[in-house]
mmCIF file with all atom_site columns, all heavy atoms in Angstrom:
data_model
loop_
_atom_site.group_PDB
_atom_site.id
_atom_site.type_symbol
_atom_site.label_atom_id
_atom_site.label_alt_id
_atom_site.label_comp_id
_atom_site.label_asym_id
_atom_site.label_entity_id
_atom_site.label_seq_id
_atom_site.pdbx_PDB_ins_code
_atom_site.Cartn_x
_atom_site.Cartn_y
_atom_site.Cartn_z
_atom_site.occupancy
_atom_site.B_iso_or_equiv
_atom_site.pdbx_formal_charge
_atom_site.auth_seq_id
_atom_site.auth_comp_id
_atom_site.auth_asym_id
_atom_site.auth_atom_id
_atom_site.pdbx_PDB_model_num
ATOM 1   N N   . PHE A 1 334 ? -17.669 12.272 9.594  1.00 87.00 ? 411 PHE A N   1
ATOM 2   C CA  . PHE A 1 334 ? -18.463 11.173 10.152 1.00 87.00 ? 411 PHE A CA  1
ATOM 3   C C   . PHE A 1 334 ? -17.745 10.442 11.292 1.00 87.00 ? 411 PHE A C   1
ATOM 4   O O   . PHE A 1 334 ? -18.291 10.303 12.378 1.00 87.00 ? 411 PHE A O   1
ATOM 5   C CB  . PHE A 1 334 ? -18.832 10.183 9.042  1.00 87.00 ? 411 PHE A CB  1
ATOM 6   C CG  . PHE A 1 334 ? -19.719 10.769 7.988  1.00 87.00 ? 411 PHE A CG  1
ATOM 7   C CD1 . PHE A 1 334 ? -19.209 11.155 6.767  1.00 87.00 ? 411 PHE A CD1 1
ATOM 8   C CD2 . PHE A 1 334 ? -21.073 10.966 8.224  1.00 87.00 ? 411 PHE A CD2 1
ATOM 9   C CE1 . PHE A 1 334 ? -20.017 11.717 5.788  1.00 87.00 ? 411 PHE A CE1 1
ATOM 10  C CE2 . PHE A 1 334 ? -21.898 11.518 7.266  1.00 87.00 ? 411 PHE A CE2 1
ATOM 11  C CZ  . PHE A 1 334 ? -21.372 11.901 6.039  1.00 87.00 ? 411 PHE A CZ  1
ATOM 12  N N   . ILE A 1 335 ? -16.539 9.962  11.031 1.00 87.00 ? 412 ILE A N   1
ATOM 13  C CA  . ILE A 1 335 ? -15.834 9.190  12.067 1.00 87.00 ? 412 ILE A CA  1
ATOM 14  C C   . ILE A 1 335 ? -15.372 10.102 13.193 1.00 87.00 ? 412 ILE A C   1
ATOM 15  O O   . ILE A 1 335 ? -15.481 9.761  14.373 1.00 87.00 ? 412 ILE A O   1
ATOM 16  C CB  . ILE A 1 335 ? -14.638 8.434  11.450 1.00 87.00 ? 412 ILE A CB  1
ATOM 17  C CG1 . ILE A 1 335 ? -15.131 7.454  10.381 1.00 87.00 ? 412 ILE A CG1 1
ATOM 18  C CG2 . ILE A 1 335 ? -13.857 7.675  12.531 1.00 87.00 ? 412 ILE A CG2 1
ATOM 19  C CD1 . ILE A 1 335 ? -14.032 6.772  9.607  1.00 87.00 ? 412 ILE A CD1 1
ATOM 20  N N   . GLY A 1 336 ? -14.873 11.260 12.825 1.00 87.00 ? 413 GLY A N   1
ATOM 21  C CA  . GLY A 1 336 ? -14.423 12.216 13.823 1.00 87.00 ? 413 GLY A CA  1
ATOM 22  C C   . GLY A 1 336 ? -12.935 12.089 14.109 1.00 87.00 ? 413 GLY A C   1
ATOM 23  O O   . GLY A 1 336 ? -12.343 11.017 13.962 1.00 87.00 ? 413 GLY A O   1
ATOM 24  N N   . VAL A 1 337 ? -12.331 13.203 14.510 1.00 92.00 ? 414 VAL A N   1
ATOM 25  C CA  . VAL A 1 337 ? -10.904 13.229 14.808 1.00 92.00 ? 414 VAL A CA  1
ATOM 26  C C   . VAL A 1 337 ? -10.660 13.117 16.313 1.00 92.00 ? 414 VAL A C   1
ATOM 27  O O   . VAL A 1 337 ? -9.631  12.619 16.755 1.00 92.00 ? 414 VAL A O   1
ATOM 28  C CB  . VAL A 1 337 ? -10.269 14.520 14.242 1.00 92.00 ? 414 VAL A CB  1
ATOM 29  C CG1 . VAL A 1 337 ? -8.795  14.634 14.621 1.00 92.00 ? 414 VAL A CG1 1
ATOM 30  C CG2 . VAL A 1 337 ? -10.426 14.553 12.718 1.00 92.00 ? 414 VAL A CG2 1
ATOM 31  N N   . ARG A 1 338 ? -11.626 13.557 17.096 1.00 90.00 ? 415 ARG A N   1
ATOM 32  C CA  . ARG A 1 338 ? -11.479 13.490 18.556 1.00 90.00 ? 415 ARG A CA  1
ATOM 33  C C   . ARG A 1 338 ? -11.855 12.097 19.078 1.00 90.00 ? 415 ARG A C   1
ATOM 34  O O   . ARG A 1 338 ? -12.449 11.295 18.359 1.00 90.00 ? 415 ARG A O   1
ATOM 35  C CB  . ARG A 1 338 ? -12.356 14.550 19.223 1.00 90.00 ? 415 ARG A CB  1
ATOM 36  C CG  . ARG A 1 338 ? -12.014 15.977 18.829 1.00 90.00 ? 415 ARG A CG  1
ATOM 37  C CD  . ARG A 1 338 ? -13.010 16.959 19.394 1.00 90.00 ? 415 ARG A CD  1
ATOM 38  N NE  . ARG A 1 338 ? -12.745 18.319 18.973 1.00 90.00 ? 415 ARG A NE  1
ATOM 39  C CZ  . ARG A 1 338 ? -12.000 19.180 19.648 1.00 90.00 ? 415 ARG A CZ  1
ATOM 40  N NH1 . ARG A 1 338 ? -11.453 18.800 20.797 1.00 90.00 ? 415 ARG A NH1 1
ATOM 41  N NH2 . ARG A 1 338 ? -11.808 20.404 19.201 1.00 90.00 ? 415 ARG A NH2 1
ATOM 42  N N   . HIS A 1 339 ? -11.541 11.865 20.334 1.00 91.00 ? 416 HIS A N   1
ATOM 43  C CA  . HIS A 1 339 ? -11.849 10.582 20.975 1.00 91.00 ? 416 HIS A CA  1
ATOM 44  C C   . HIS A 1 339 ? -12.580 10.840 22.285 1.00 91.00 ? 416 HIS A C   1
ATOM 45  O O   . HIS A 1 339 ? -12.185 11.718 23.064 1.00 91.00 ? 416 HIS A O   1
ATOM 46  C CB  . HIS A 1 339 ? -10.562 9.793  21.244 1.00 91.00 ? 416 HIS A CB  1
ATOM 47  C CG  . HIS A 1 339 ? -10.785 8.357  21.589 1.00 91.00 ? 416 HIS A CG  1
ATOM 48  N ND1 . HIS A 1 339 ? -11.274 7.933  22.808 1.00 91.00 ? 416 HIS A ND1 1
ATOM 49  C CD2 . HIS A 1 339 ? -10.595 7.224  20.848 1.00 91.00 ? 416 HIS A CD2 1
ATOM 50  C CE1 . HIS A 1 339 ? -11.361 6.611  22.804 1.00 91.00 ? 416 HIS A CE1 1
ATOM 51  N NE2 . HIS A 1 339 ? -10.952 6.162  21.637 1.00 91.00 ? 416 HIS A NE2 1
ATOM 52  N N   . PRO A 1 340 ? -13.662 10.116 22.554 1.00 89.00 ? 417 PRO A N   1
ATOM 53  C CA  . PRO A 1 340 ? -14.370 10.306 23.835 1.00 89.00 ? 417 PRO A CA  1
ATOM 54  C C   . PRO A 1 340 ? -13.510 9.859  25.009 1.00 89.00 ? 417 PRO A C   1
ATOM 55  O O   . PRO A 1 340 ? -12.650 8.992  24.871 1.00 89.00 ? 417 PRO A O   1
ATOM 56  C CB  . PRO A 1 340 ? -15.611 9.418  23.679 1.00 89.00 ? 417 PRO A CB  1
ATOM 57  C CG  . PRO A 1 340 ? -15.225 8.378  22.671 1.00 89.00 ? 417 PRO A CG  1
ATOM 58  C CD  . PRO A 1 340 ? -14.294 9.066  21.715 1.00 89.00 ? 417 PRO A CD  1
ATOM 59  N N   . VAL A 1 341 ? -13.765 10.466 26.152 1.00 90.00 ? 418 VAL A N   1
ATOM 60  C CA  . VAL A 1 341 ? -13.029 10.130 27.377 1.00 90.00 ? 418 VAL A CA  1
ATOM 61  C C   . VAL A 1 341 ? -13.854 9.145  28.200 1.00 90.00 ? 418 VAL A C   1
ATOM 62  O O   . VAL A 1 341 ? -15.035 9.374  28.457 1.00 90.00 ? 418 VAL A O   1
ATOM 63  C CB  . VAL A 1 341 ? -12.739 11.399 28.206 1.00 90.00 ? 418 VAL A CB  1
ATOM 64  C CG1 . VAL A 1 341 ? -11.968 11.027 29.477 1.00 90.00 ? 418 VAL A CG1 1
ATOM 65  C CG2 . VAL A 1 341 ? -11.955 12.396 27.375 1.00 90.00 ? 418 VAL A CG2 1
ATOM 66  N N   . ALA A 1 342 ? -13.236 8.037  28.583 1.00 91.00 ? 419 ALA A N   1
ATOM 67  C CA  . ALA A 1 342 ? -13.933 7.019  29.370 1.00 91.00 ? 419 ALA A CA  1
ATOM 68  C C   . ALA A 1 342 ? -14.034 7.469  30.835 1.00 91.00 ? 419 ALA A C   1
ATOM 69  O O   . ALA A 1 342 ? -13.177 8.215  31.324 1.00 91.00 ? 419 ALA A O   1
ATOM 70  C CB  . ALA A 1 342 ? -13.186 5.688  29.289 1.00 91.00 ? 419 ALA A CB  1
ATOM 71  N N   . PRO A 1 343 ? -15.071 7.017  31.542 1.00 92.00 ? 420 PRO A N   1
ATOM 72  C CA  . PRO A 1 343 ? -15.189 7.356  32.972 1.00 92.00 ? 420 PRO A CA  1
ATOM 73  C C   . PRO A 1 343 ? -13.957 6.949  33.772 1.00 92.00 ? 420 PRO A C   1
ATOM 74  O O   . PRO A 1 343 ? -13.505 7.688  34.661 1.00 92.00 ? 420 PRO A O   1
ATOM 75  C CB  . PRO A 1 343 ? -16.438 6.567  33.401 1.00 92.00 ? 420 PRO A CB  1
ATOM 76  C CG  . PRO A 1 343 ? -17.239 6.406  32.156 1.00 92.00 ? 420 PRO A CG  1
ATOM 77  C CD  . PRO A 1 343 ? -16.232 6.263  31.045 1.00 92.00 ? 420 PRO A CD  1
ATOM 78  N N   . ASP A 1 344 ? -13.423 5.772  33.472 1.00 92.00 ? 421 ASP A N   1
ATOM 79  C CA  . ASP A 1 344 ? -12.200 5.307  34.129 1.00 92.00 ? 421 ASP A CA  1
ATOM 80  C C   . ASP A 1 344 ? -11.039 5.564  33.169 1.00 92.00 ? 421 ASP A C   1
ATOM 81  O O   . ASP A 1 344 ? -10.833 4.834  32.208 1.00 92.00 ? 421 ASP A O   1
ATOM 82  C CB  . ASP A 1 344 ? -12.312 3.817  34.455 1.00 92.00 ? 421 ASP A CB  1
ATOM 83  C CG  . ASP A 1 344 ? -11.058 3.273  35.133 1.00 92.00 ? 421 ASP A CG  1
ATOM 84  O OD1 . ASP A 1 344 ? -10.114 4.070  35.379 1.00 92.00 ? 421 ASP A OD1 1
ATOM 85  O OD2 . ASP A 1 344 ? -11.008 2.059  35.395 1.00 92.00 ? 421 ASP A OD2 1
ATOM 86  N N   . ASP A 1 345 ? -10.297 6.632  33.442 1.00 89.00 ? 422 ASP A N   1
ATOM 87  C CA  . ASP A 1 345 ? -9.206  7.037  32.547 1.00 89.00 ? 422 ASP A CA  1
ATOM 88  C C   . ASP A 1 345 ? -7.844  6.587  33.081 1.00 89.00 ? 422 ASP A C   1
ATOM 89  O O   . ASP A 1 345 ? -6.818  7.214  32.816 1.00 89.00 ? 422 ASP A O   1
ATOM 90  C CB  . ASP A 1 345 ? -9.233  8.559  32.369 1.00 89.00 ? 422 ASP A CB  1
ATOM 91  C CG  . ASP A 1 345 ? -8.448  9.009  31.143 1.00 89.00 ? 422 ASP A CG  1
ATOM 92  O OD1 . ASP A 1 345 ? -8.478  8.302  30.116 1.00 89.00 ? 422 ASP A OD1 1
ATOM 93  O OD2 . ASP A 1 345 ? -7.794  10.073 31.212 1.00 89.00 ? 422 ASP A OD2 1
ATOM 94  N N   . SER A 1 346 ? -7.830  5.478  33.823 1.00 91.00 ? 423 SER A N   1
ATOM 95  C CA  . SER A 1 346 ? -6.583  4.983  34.410 1.00 91.00 ? 423 SER A CA  1
ATOM 96  C C   . SER A 1 346 ? -5.601  4.556  33.315 1.00 91.00 ? 423 SER A C   1
ATOM 97  O O   . SER A 1 346 ? -6.015  3.997  32.290 1.00 91.00 ? 423 SER A O   1
ATOM 98  C CB  . SER A 1 346 ? -6.864  3.785  35.322 1.00 91.00 ? 423 SER A CB  1
ATOM 99  O OG  . SER A 1 346 ? -7.779  4.136  36.338 1.00 91.00 ? 423 SER A OG  1
ATOM 100 N N   . PRO A 1 347 ? -4.300  4.801  33.503 1.00 92.00 ? 424 PRO A N   1
ATOM 101 C CA  . PRO A 1 347 ? -3.294  4.412  32.503 1.00 92.00 ? 424 PRO A CA  1
ATOM 102 C C   . PRO A 1 347 ? -3.264  2.900  32.287 1.00 92.00 ? 424 PRO A C   1
ATOM 103 O O   . PRO A 1 347 ? -3.693  2.111  33.135 1.00 92.00 ? 424 PRO A O   1
ATOM 104 C CB  . PRO A 1 347 ? -1.983  4.906  33.125 1.00 92.00 ? 424 PRO A CB  1
ATOM 105 C CG  . PRO A 1 347 ? -2.378  5.953  34.108 1.00 92.00 ? 424 PRO A CG  1
ATOM 106 C CD  . PRO A 1 347 ? -3.723  5.523  34.646 1.00 92.00 ? 424 PRO A CD  1
ATOM 107 N N   . LEU A 1 348 ? -2.729  2.501  31.157 1.00 94.00 ? 425 LEU A N   1
ATOM 108 C CA  . LEU A 1 348 ? -2.627  1.079  30.812 1.00 94.00 ? 425 LEU A CA  1
ATOM 109 C C   . LEU A 1 348 ? -1.481  0.420  31.568 1.00 94.00 ? 425 LEU A C   1
ATOM 110 O O   . LEU A 1 348 ? -0.545  1.077  32.030 1.00 94.00 ? 425 LEU A O   1
ATOM 111 C CB  . LEU A 1 348 ? -2.386  0.914  29.309 1.00 94.00 ? 425 LEU A CB  1
ATOM 112 C CG  . LEU A 1 348 ? -3.434  1.468  28.352 1.00 94.00 ? 425 LEU A CG  1
ATOM 113 C CD1 . LEU A 1 348 ? -2.994  1.240  26.915 1.00 94.00 ? 425 LEU A CD1 1
ATOM 114 C CD2 . LEU A 1 348 ? -4.793  0.822  28.592 1.00 94.00 ? 425 LEU A CD2 1
ATOM 115 N N   . SER A 1 349 ? -1.561  -0.896 31.642 1.00 94.00 ? 426 SER A N   1
ATOM 116 C CA  . SER A 1 349 ? -0.464  -1.673 32.207 1.00 94.00 ? 426 SER A CA  1
ATOM 117 C C   . SER A 1 349 ? 0.709   -1.689 31.228 1.00 94.00 ? 426 SER A C   1
ATOM 118 O O   . SER A 1 349 ? 0.564   -1.361 30.044 1.00 94.00 ? 426 SER A O   1
ATOM 119 C CB  . SER A 1 349 ? -0.929  -3.106 32.479 1.00 94.00 ? 426 SER A CB  1
ATOM 120 O OG  . SER A 1 349 ? -1.257  -3.759 31.248 1.00 94.00 ? 426 SER A OG  1
ATOM 121 N N   . THR A 1 350 ? 1.862   -2.097 31.711 1.00 95.00 ? 427 THR A N   1
ATOM 122 C CA  . THR A 1 350 ? 3.065   -2.140 30.863 1.00 95.00 ? 427 THR A CA  1
ATOM 123 C C   . THR A 1 350 ? 2.868   -3.090 29.683 1.00 95.00 ? 427 THR A C   1
ATOM 124 O O   . THR A 1 350 ? 3.266   -2.790 28.549 1.00 95.00 ? 427 THR A O   1
ATOM 125 C CB  . THR A 1 350 ? 4.286   -2.578 31.689 1.00 95.00 ? 427 THR A CB  1
ATOM 126 O OG1 . THR A 1 350 ? 4.485   -1.657 32.766 1.00 95.00 ? 427 THR A OG1 1
ATOM 127 C CG2 . THR A 1 350 ? 5.540   -2.624 30.827 1.00 95.00 ? 427 THR A CG2 1
#
Side-chain angles (χ1 to χ4, degrees):
F411 296 102
I412 299 174
V414 176
R415 299 173 183 268
H416 194 286
V418 180
D421 179 2
D422 198 37
S423 302
L425 300 178
S426 65
T427 301

